[in-house]
Amino acid sequence: EAGVAQSPRYKIIEKRQSVAFWCNPISGHATLYWYQQILGQGPKLLIQFQNNGVVDDSQLPKDRFSAERLKGVDSTLKIQPAKLEDSAVYLCASAVGGDTQYFGPGTRLTVL
Amino acid sequence: GEDVEQSLFLSVREGDSSVINCTYTDSSSTYLYWYKQEPGAGLQLLTYIFSNMDMKQDQRLTVLLNKKDKHLSLRIADTQTGDSAIYFCAEKRDNTGKLIFGQGTTLQVKP
């Protein structure tokens, strides 16, 4: 069974630029999560989707971050404009309902 | 508060047992998880325990849960150099599946 796929693996941008990350969950997993992991910390939930609907986006900085999962499968997370403090690893995870989450390899973002 | 607490660093010798500790805050948490993160990689699920259990064993891994003290531990028997990584505990608080993670414990295994 293929795992959670994410791209790109690494991205370096300058502050105030825009960036987008892509996630393809495990086949059949209706629930998809985006986490932000700042260096030296544990992951923190940004947004949770159930199929193509948002379940929880209370921790998403909506003035600059947006996410969508239009067809209930793939998802994109966008940052516009990026700030220095957005430097982190962005992890995507998927699950069957609210069960055990399986994580992708992450995208490491560096904002200069 | 929302914090899940872990000690930051543990160093052991190859062949010894490692014990990584975690305290959580929500007594209504249903599941508690241990994930492993190697450098440059995502999180790999190691094991989990349901909140009505006290102990779970899976090969070299033993999870102990003390609900009264809200304390979770992960014991790795016969620790190998390949076990060197960051270990995260996480609690699942509600049926949405949202996980609250600790800050991670770096395990260093010396040959």
Side-chain angles (χ1 to χ4, degrees), chain A residues 57-112:
Chain A
D57 64 356
S58 57
Q59 300 301 307
L60 188 73
K62 298 181 188 62
D63 57 334
R64 297 183 302 105
F65 285 64
S66 64
E68 59 184 14
R69 194 184 184 200
L70 293 176
K71 295 182 180 178
V73 181
D74 294 7
S75 177
T76 55
L77 176 69
K78 297 179 182 177
I79 308 174
Q80 181 180 10
K83 293 185 175 181
L84 296 177
E85 59 260 37
D86 299 332
S87 293
V89 176
Y90 291 85
L91 295 163
C92 179
S94 71
V96 176
D99 288 346
T100 301
Q101 296 178 32
Y102 296 90
F103 284 77
T107 296
R108 182 176 298 276
L109 173 67
T110 302
V111 182
L112 302 175

Side-chain angles (χ1 to χ4, degrees), chain A residues 14-78:
Chain A
E14 295 190 347
K15 60 183 179 183
R16 291 188 288 273
Q17 285 188 324
S18 302
V19 64
F21 313 127
W22 174 82
C23 173
N24 181 236
I26 293 172
S27 177
H29 282 195
T31 310
L32 185 147
Y33 307 81
W34 283 103
Y35 288 86
Q36 180 192 57
Q37 185 181 18
I38 293 172
L39 185 66
Q41 298 180 19
K44 287 185 168 55
L45 181 69
L46 290 174
I47 188 166
Q48 175 186 348
F49 291 94
Q50 179 77 17
N51 296 308
N52 60 351
V54 175
V55 173
D56 183 354
D57 64 356
S58 57
Q59 300 301 307
L60 188 73
K62 298 181 188 62
D63 57 334
R64 297 183 302 105
F65 285 64
S66 64
E68 59 184 14
R69 194 184 184 200
L70 293 176
K71 295 182 180 178
V73 181
D74 294 7
S75 177
T76 55
L77 176 69
K78 297 179 182 177

Side-chain angles (χ1 to χ4, degrees), chain B residues 67-81:
Chain B
K67 280 198 74 174
K68 175 176 170 290
D69 294 338
K70 298 190 189 68
H71 183 265
L72 180 73
S73 68
L74 174 70
R75 178 177 179 268
I76 306 172
D78 187 25
T79 312
Q80 303 297 307
T81 54

